[in-house]
Amino acid sequence: MTLVDVHIQDRYPTRVESGSDRKWITSDEPTVRSGAQEGPASAEELAEHSRNGFHIQRDLLSDQEVGACLDELKAMTDDPAIRSDERTIIEPTSEEVRSVFDAHLLSDRIARLIREPRILDRARQILGSEVYVHQSRVNFMPGFRGTGFYWHSDFETWHAEDGMADMAAVSMSIGLTDNHPFNGGLMLMPGAHRTFVPCLGRTPDDNYRSSLKAQKVGVPQEEDIAELARRHGIEQFTGPSGSALWFDCNSMHGSGNNITPYPRSNIFVVFNSVENALVEPFAARERRPGFVASRDFTPLRA
């Protein structure tokens, strides 16, 4: 019997073996938690975040800051040591970099940025507690060859493979390039974050090695996606560079391929409540490595 079995009730069973076990679960967890009411997010933004599971923070970065971050990203991808590191994910159909994980540990600029009150205090405000970085990365979607991600809930993976018990995490994606409707921008289903959709299939060992390139286990069935879309519709994150999207860990989201000449890059950071520290995985035999799911629960400080 594992520590999960002894101490933590699995409220969101997933990676089930048959369709009859795949019943939707309505979450009663608050999307905006009490405990830290003061912060940079307005009452309207918090209400939108609670209702839809996401909100957009316009003009988070200035043009100068965007340029500096893009220079930093280029230096990272040009560094042979970083490119050959396990934390760097290469596109499955090309030699282009798809993601570099542990961005806040590899880049002093990103480390300082996410500790600034305009970001850190908003994460604390949404989660109602001190926070730590569960995961950080920089993502690249090159023009013509950028591949998207199928519909999924991040929480499903973090619960199944990392041992995140509750939905007390929020993700922030800062666009470093313009997000157009046609260059693979992120799509979300407003309000679907209150429904947990269990997925079929057991978790293979070392699943992260393939899932970070193309996720096959831990994705909903097509009929689930169709019904969620019928109920909630689909919206897309668009806007000029420097804008940020904040979205709940259980938001149903995905992105299409980018066949346009316009690349899309972003900084992606997941803040988890220190009160929601990871336990043992709920549906995997082993923990994923720390660059994917940190177990350093030290509160992030300004």
Side-chain angles (χ1 to χ4, degrees), residues 177-192:
T177 49
D178 293 343
N179 284 262
H180 301 290
F182 45 74
N183 68 337
L186 197 69
M187 298 177 289
L188 307 100
M189 296 185 184

Side-chain angles (χ1 to χ4, degrees), residues 64 81 111 128 147 160 171 265 278 293 302:
Q64 291 78 12
T147 55
S171 299
S265 299
L278 306 183

Side-chain angles (χ1 to χ4, degrees), residues 5-77:
D5 296 324
V6 173
H7 298 296
I8 305 293
Q9 178 187 3
D10 184 358
R11 296 199 289 155
Y12 304 103
T14 188
R15 310 289 169 97
V16 296
E17 296 188 30
S18 69
S20 60
D21 298 325
R22 189 173 49 81
K23 294 182 173 65
W24 290 8
I25 300 168
T26 300
S27 170
D28 58 0
E29 297 192 53
T31 309
V32 176
R33 297 176 178 248
S34 61
Q37 299 301 318
E38 298 298 322
S42 67
E44 292 76 15
E45 288 174 320
L46 293 177
E48 181 182 4
H49 190 86
S50 180
R51 180 176 64 253
N52 293 337
F54 58 88
H55 74 281
I56 296 173
Q57 184 180 6
R58 299 294 185 192
D59 303 320
L60 173 62
L61 301 187
S62 67
D63 291 344
Q64 291 78 12
E65 289 174 312
V66 168
C69 287
L70 286 172
D71 289 343
E72 187 88 347
L73 267 59
K74 185 177 187 307
M76 292 170 66
T77 56

Side-chain angles (χ1 to χ4, degrees), residues 113-184:
L113 176 64
I114 67 173
R115 287 172 168 82
E116 292 189 14
R118 53 181 163 164
I119 292 177
L120 179 55
D121 286 354
R122 187 174 291 244
R124 290 168 170 162
Q125 189 179 10
I126 292 170
L127 296 179
S129 69
E130 295 294 329
V131 300
Y132 73 94
V133 175
H134 170 71
Q135 180 190 108
S136 73
R137 64 182 188 261
V138 290
N139 293 324
F140 306 87
M141 182 175 280
F144 298 114
R145 295 176 297 279
T147 55
F149 263 111
Y150 194 69
W151 289 102
H152 64 286
S153 152
D154 289 328
F155 176 74
E156 193 280 339
T157 294
W158 299 339
H159 182 75
E161 300 186 36
D162 299 332
M164 184 179 289
D166 297 322
M167 297 176 182
V170 65
S171 299
M172 175 196 66
S173 175
I174 306 175
L176 299 180
T177 49
D178 293 343
N179 284 262
H180 301 290
F182 45 74
N183 68 337

Side-chain angles (χ1 to χ4, degrees), residues 15 86-89 101 135 149 157 161-162 203-217 284 286-293:
R15 310 289 169 97
E86 184 185 27
R87 293 173 289 185
T88 299
I89 309 302
F101 284 78
Q135 180 190 108
F149 263 111
T157 294
E161 300 186 36
D162 299 332
T203 308
D205 291 343
D206 290 335
N207 183 51
Y208 75 95
R209 295 185 184 276
S210 60
S211 67
L212 297 180
K213 298 180 181 180
Q215 189 171 0
K216 295 181 179 179
V217 177
E286 297 179 341
R287 298 175 176 181
R288 296 198 297 175
F291 71 85
V292 183

